[in-house]
Amino acid sequence: MQSKKDDMSAKGAEVDKPHETKPEHEAKSKETSAVPSKRKARSNDTPAKAPRRSARGATQAQPDPVTLLNYLLSKESLDSCRPKDEIEDVKIHGHLRTYSSSTFSPFEELMCAVILSRPISHGLGLRSIRTLLNDPYNCTTPKKIRDGGFDLIIRAVNEARTQHRQKTAEELVILADAVVDHLGTGDEDVNLERVRGECDHEWEKEKEMLKKHVKGLGKTGLDIFGRRVQAQWPELYPFTDQRTLSGLQKLGLPSTAEELKKLLDQHWTALNIEGFEGNEDEKKRRAFVQVLERTTGIDLEGNADRVRAEAMPGTEND
């Protein structure tokens, strides 16, 4: 999907940006970027609208909650959470299934969680997912992976030019086998119905079952899977994890699951949710997940200041 020249530049840009690990300079600045301890605690209903400061120290206005949520729920925010090579791939190839913009089955979400929990950059992780789930590989079911075997997966991850290729390929083949043998009802089951049924739809039990049978899936991977699959597993909603905390805080949004859900419920009729399918409860879960994923991607790409600026009323986006 990219030339060698693009690959070299992409690698250079991605090396210092692990997907689920906060960069060192962000960790050191956490106390200065969070709300100061002397400031009075805000109510749970409304996120703080206090002015923020850019890297140069200039005061930056904060968009109101409804404006910010509508921006995150819109297509305009998509490029802010995408790596540059994904933006270029979409321009070149047109419609692609991407982690940033597509709805995946629970099996695909589990596969993505295995990939993204490896110690690789955000960009490499998303490129691997993009390569595996689109032509010519289309690794969208356990059957497809089992039929193609290790050779199919290793070709895909080689094309993605990612890291830990051998181990990633091995783990995805083992995942497909685990779904057939322990987690699903056959090689075409992408909904993980066996997990749901045997665990009585209880997340703690589901986590234990997944961790037991999926090689390479630990706490980080389970958190990634949980925050995405709650759109389809209602008993898990609302769910946030530690990784989403940074992105939510940087945009001035509530950083706990219940507070964020309350904010969405409070302003639901003012939000633009035309692109979400299903009944109202399903739309609320999908909107909640999109807010989490957009803020996490925006944080990983270092675009929080840009997003706050673009979300302000009257701003014309490029």
Side-chain angles (χ1 to χ4, degrees), residues 258-299:
E258 290 296 338
E259 288 177 347
L260 183 59
K261 177 181 180 295
K262 186 175 182 180
L263 181 66
L264 284 166
D265 287 342
Q266 179 182 353
H267 298 292
W268 184 247
T269 57
L271 300 180
N272 181 6
I273 42 86
E274 292 180 359
F276 297 102
E277 298 180 352
N279 59 38
E280 185 167 296
D281 288 340
E282 291 169 334
K283 288 178 179 179
K284 284 185 176 181
R285 294 198 304 272
R286 293 191 182 281
F288 183 89
V289 170
Q290 180 162 314
V291 170
L292 293 184
E293 289 303 310
R294 293 282 167 93
T295 55
T296 300
I298 287 164
D299 184 24

Side-chain angles (χ1 to χ4, degrees), residues 31 48 56 68-69 87 130 134 146 162 196 211 213 236 261 283 287-288 293-294 298 305 316:
E31 293 182 2
R56 296 183 179 180
L68 181 56
L69 288 172
I87 296 172
R130 211 160 58 244
N134 288 284
R146 281 159 64 94
T162 188
R196 307 243 65 206
K211 187 175 180 180
H213 294 294
L236 181 53
K261 177 181 180 295
K283 288 178 179 179
F288 183 89
E293 289 303 310
R294 293 282 167 93
I298 287 164
D305 286 347
E316 293 186 5

Side-chain angles (χ1 to χ4, degrees), residues 138-150:
N138 296 310
C139 297
T140 57
T141 67
K143 176 176 171 52
K144 180 68 175 180
I145 293 176
R146 281 159 64 94
D147 287 349
F150 178 84

